[in-house]
Amino acid sequence: MAHLQPMDPAFPIDRQLAVDASPVVLVNVFTLDKADEQTFLRAWQDDAEFMKRQPGFISTQLHRAIGESPTYLNYAVWESTADFRVAFTHPEFRAKISAYPTSAKASPHLFQRVGVPGICVV
């Protein structure tokens, strides 16, 4: 089972789910033992297939750290916090967490885009 480790301990994912925002981007960093990578990838793919069917899901992309580091970053775009909350707290999704290897640590956090004149658009 993946262990949830807040990216920001002062404002963990459970508190973020109560904030109404749209759109939102989930950034989730996973660390795990190298021997568990194939198990992790199967579990993540199963989760992603579930999330893809949920209302408000827009897209996702999984990235692997370069080199020998078994660190992964998941980036998922959702129409709103409310949509993500329904999917994240769904009993079927919660049950899927047990498929992750015990070495996996997940650090999920929700973000919103920031406009920076001349650089980034909102």
Side-chain angles (χ1 to χ4, degrees):
M1 173 183 281
H3 171 71
L4 290 180
Q5 183 173 316
M7 193 177 290
D8 178 357
F11 203 69
I13 191 73
D14 293 341
R15 289 188 57 205
Q16 295 167 46
L17 294 176
V19 177
D20 288 327
S22 60
V24 294
V25 174
L26 168 72
V27 173
N28 197 355
V29 176
F30 295 91
T31 58
L32 55 135
D33 292 343
K34 190 161 182 55
D36 290 333
E37 283 189 276
Q38 290 309 308
T39 302
F40 165 79
L41 289 170
R42 284 190 299 273
W44 185 88
Q45 182 176 2
D46 188 47
D47 281 355
E49 288 170 354
F50 170 81
M51 291 299 193
K52 189 175 177 180
R53 296 187 307 268
Q54 303 311 301
F57 173 86
I58 296 173
S59 66
T60 193
Q61 180 65 54
L62 184 65
H63 304 265
R64 186 185 186 281
I66 60 172
E68 298 301 314
S69 175
T71 300
Y72 289 81
L73 180 140
N74 176 44
Y75 180 93
V77 183
W78 288 83
E79 288 181 15
S80 69
T81 306
D83 290 325
F84 176 72
R85 178 176 49 245
V86 169
F88 187 75
T89 60
H90 193 286
E92 184 178 344
F93 173 74
R94 301 309 276 188
K96 290 178 180 299
I97 294 173
S98 65
Y100 280 89
T102 56
S103 71
K105 291 183 181 65
S107 298
H109 204 93
L110 294 170
F111 293 86
Q112 286 188 290
R113 290 190 297 181
V114 175
V116 178
I119 308 292
C120 306
V121 296
V122 175

